[in-house]
Amino acid sequence: MSGGLLVAGTTSDAGKSVLTAGICRWLHRAGVAVAPFKAQNMSNNSAVVVGPDGRGGEIGRAQAMQAAACGLVPDLRFNPVLLKPGSDLASQVVLLGEAVDTVTAGNFRALRPKLAETAYAALAELRTTYDVVICEGAGSPAEINLRAGDYVNMGLARHAGLPTIVVGDIDRGGVFASMFGTVALLDPADQALVAGFVINKFRGDLGLLRPGLDMLHRVTGRPTYGVLPWHLDLWLDAEDSLAYGRVLGRPAAPHGTDWLDIAVVRLPRISNATDVEALATEPGVRVRLTVEPAELAAADLVVLPGSKSTVADLAWLRETGLADAVTAHAAAGRPLLGICGGFQMLATAIHDPVESRRGSVPGLGLLPIEITFDPVKTVRPAVGTAVPDVPVRGYEIHHGYVSTADADLPPLLHHADGRPEGARLGAVHGTHWHGAFESDEFRRRFLTEVARSAGRHGFTVAPGTSFDAARERSLDLLGDLVEEHLDTAALWRLIETGAPADLPFIPPGAPPTT
């Protein structure tokens, strides 16, 4: 068969990514050859995928997570278009894994036909390879100002004949109005593909919700396929840092007697914030995101994460007083970690004619290195070791590189071929490698050293913590929730046979699109 389904949402962060992953895991466990797909993603949380030519490319982190739910190695076709915002007005365009352009509101219209053609071709290839492709929309299909050129939501559904379900987050309120309004703002041909709804993040007595579900069915002629409960343990692999609360996950009680407190600076253009999720899986480790300088003073470890706009975010650090708080933390001998863009900020100088085009600017001066930006983007998996011979895996996504370094500066890591990677000076650490802390032994040794430097002598790492196992538990939990709370028989009919032919039109509807 060549079945398919589009998971659309009433808003961004309504639950499209997790519902897509849950449906993928349910189908995979049932023995179906299933793959995920998102025509266009806008996110600075990306994963590195090795393409058919052997080169590294980028896709959205959520699609890499959905691939894992399908039991698949990530494929560039799973997310053919990735937009990485570098400012409020411009985004880098990553097409089939490769950065090809910078898009603004002014030139997006000219570029869009090429992006749509690439996305449609990728989906067509996947549908010849897999039994089922579960597609994720972007934002909301009711963004009627964008409908004429849409190839991600109903434009994709129309092109590929995909039945569509709409998921809404009841925790935000207004879910019934947003579901009804989503359908009612679509033109007749789009409405004909919207088969029903799923409610996400429900807490409480389902009986109290039932009258609303029944009324929604009466006024739209479309059923609700199920109600997913709010669950504490669904927080790994966030598509965007805004999906996090102030504290990541649900910190488990310490293995020893002390907690370890980690403060992560929530940069305006934070990228790959998922790097710190591995730290948050450790018992006794509390990881929180903050924009408050005062909150850095009490932290045992401060993390400067990746950034899509290193120089601009460094300027923001200085404007907000966070730069002073970071340097004071390091001056006190307390542990500091910079990852990718955060590592670059620790340099004495940054030479950037590429990303910000601001030329040379002073860094925080906490590591005796200089960073230079190259027009060619480094995108590749990373394999190596930490001293002494601790295996580490990660990935690199950056334009900046270490162009000058103190000859006596010890590296944090080594590439498999022996080349040094990153730097460490006292309690200040930095690396360009994302995902390094998903390597369990390295993470445990790093946190043990941090605890010792911070004076948390009662902190002890739990020897059996596995990040990969935690991710698998999360994916299995998503599959369980789909099986337990959704009408999977009805979903399967929808995937197999398409949207019902007798779905009613809900006025007023939008003017028909061409």
Side-chain angles (χ1 to χ4, degrees):
M1 64 174 295
S2 181
L5 178 71
L6 175 67
V7 178
T10 55
T11 62
S12 294
D13 200 31
K16 298 185 293 292
S17 295
V18 294
L19 178 56
T20 298
I23 293 173
C24 285
R25 179 50 63 106
W26 156 58
L27 291 170
H28 172 62
R29 293 195 302 203
V32 177
V34 57
F37 179 80
K38 185 162 184 170
Q40 175 189 292
N41 201 343
M42 179 174 277
S43 176
N44 280 328
N45 276 359
S46 60
V48 169
V49 175
V50 177
D53 59 0
R55 293 187 299 176
E58 294 179 76
I59 65 170
R61 178 85 177 199
Q63 281 62 65
M65 177 265 290
Q66 291 159 359
C70 299
L72 299 174
V73 174
D75 187 313
L76 296 175
R77 296 173 299 176
F78 294 167
N79 178 207
V81 182
L82 174 63
L83 304 181
K84 303 190 74 173
S87 70
D88 290 342
L89 299 176
S91 295
Q92 185 179 62
V93 179
V94 179
L95 190 63
L96 287 175
E98 183 180 356
V100 297
D101 206 342
T102 297
V103 67
T104 65
N107 68 355
F108 182 66
R109 181 174 297 178
L111 188 60
R112 190 166 51 200
K114 178 183 178 182
L115 303 183
E117 180 183 359
T118 302
Y120 292 156
L123 177 57
E125 287 182 14
L126 292 175
R127 296 188 79 178
T128 65
T129 306
Y130 297 95
D131 296 333
V132 173
V133 179
I134 304 298
C135 304
E136 178 189 342
S140 164
E143 292 165 351
I144 52 180
N145 56 312
L146 304 177
R147 177 60 185 92
D150 169 54
Y151 61 92
V152 188
N153 291 303
M154 301 315 299
L156 180 72
R158 287 263 288 274
H159 177 85
L162 296 171
T164 301
I165 57 175
V166 176
V167 58
D169 180 356
I170 198 170
D171 204 43
R172 296 185 174 196
V175 71
F176 292 117
S178 58
M179 285 178 161
F180 178 87
T182 295
V183 179
L185 283 175
L186 302 179
D187 75 22
D190 286 352
Q191 286 195 23
L193 292 172
V194 178
F197 310 100
V198 171
I199 287 180
N200 190 32
K201 296 185 183 178
F202 179 69
R203 319 184 204 202
D205 182 358
L206 190 57
L208 296 176
L209 191 65
R210 182 61 58 190
L213 301 178
D214 293 341
M215 182 176 292
L216 184 65
H217 193 175
R218 287 197 302 272
V219 298
T220 66
R222 293 159 172 83
T224 297
Y225 288 97
V227 178
L228 295 174
W230 185 83
H231 204 291
L232 279 169
D233 293 331
L234 295 177
W235 58 276
L236 288 176
D237 292 298
E239 187 169 56
D240 191 286
S241 68
L242 295 177
Y244 298 131
R246 283 181 52 81
V247 176
L248 268 66
R250 181 172 50 167
H255 192 65
T257 57
D258 275 353
W259 285 82
L260 201 61
D261 184 58
I262 298 177
V264 181
V265 179
R266 194 193 289 266
L267 300 168
R269 296 297 171 188
I270 188 171
S271 68
N272 289 72
T274 47
D275 283 327
V276 296
E277 291 182 346
L279 303 176
T281 61
E282 286 288 344
V285 177
R286 180 177 181 265
V287 178
R288 53 193 169 87
L289 279 81
T290 183
V291 295
E292 297 296 333
E295 293 192 1
L296 303 190
D300 299 312
L301 170 67
V302 169
V303 179
L304 289 177
S307 169
K308 185 64 185 68
S309 300
T310 299
V311 170
D313 277 357
L314 177 57
W316 175 84
L317 282 180
R318 291 187 163 115
E319 292 165 3
T320 58
L322 283 161
D324 291 337
V326 168
T327 53
H329 182 91
R334 300 176 68 80
L336 173 65
L337 170 66
I339 302 175
C340 200
F343 170 43
Q344 296 168 359
M345 294 177 194
L346 302 178
T348 57
I350 301 172
H351 310 291
D352 179 17
V354 176
E355 193 175 76
S356 69
R357 300 180 183 179
R358 295 187 187 179
S360 297
V361 299
L364 295 176
L366 297 176
L367 288 173
I369 62 174
E370 293 188 14
I371 298 292
T372 299
F373 277 64
D374 192 301
V376 178
K377 191 176 189 180
T378 297
V379 181
R380 62 192 176 198
V383 180
T385 58
V387 178
D389 298 326
V390 176
V392 182
R393 288 183 175 273
Y395 56 98
E396 298 181 63
I397 307 172
H398 54 91
H399 282 281
Y401 65 96
V402 177
S403 52
T404 304
D406 190 311
D408 298 325
L409 183 66
L412 181 64
L413 303 165
H414 285 92
H415 290 267
D417 61 8
R419 288 179 296 118
E421 161 52 35
R424 57 183 302 161
L425 183 63
V428 179
H429 309 77
T431 177
H432 273 122
W433 287 15
H434 295 290
F437 294 99
E438 295 176 18
S439 298
D440 297 327
E441 186 178 356
F442 173 60
R443 181 182 66 252
R444 287 193 281 266
R445 293 201 183 200
F446 179 80
L447 290 175
T448 297
E449 181 180 335
V450 164
R452 185 172 63 249
S453 297
R456 299 292 184 185
H457 301 295
F459 175 81
T460 305
V461 292
T465 305
S466 166
F467 181 79
D468 288 343
R471 174 177 284 148
E472 279 298 302
R473 285 194 300 272
S474 180
L475 293 173
D476 278 333
L477 173 58
L478 285 171
D480 292 343
L481 292 174
V482 166
E483 290 187 31
E484 294 170 14
H485 297 280
L486 300 191
D487 186 346
T488 54
L491 278 181
W492 179 248
R493 288 193 299 272
L494 197 62
I495 291 168
E496 195 172 31
T497 63
D502 57 350
L503 293 170
F505 171 73
I506 309 301
T513 55
T514 56

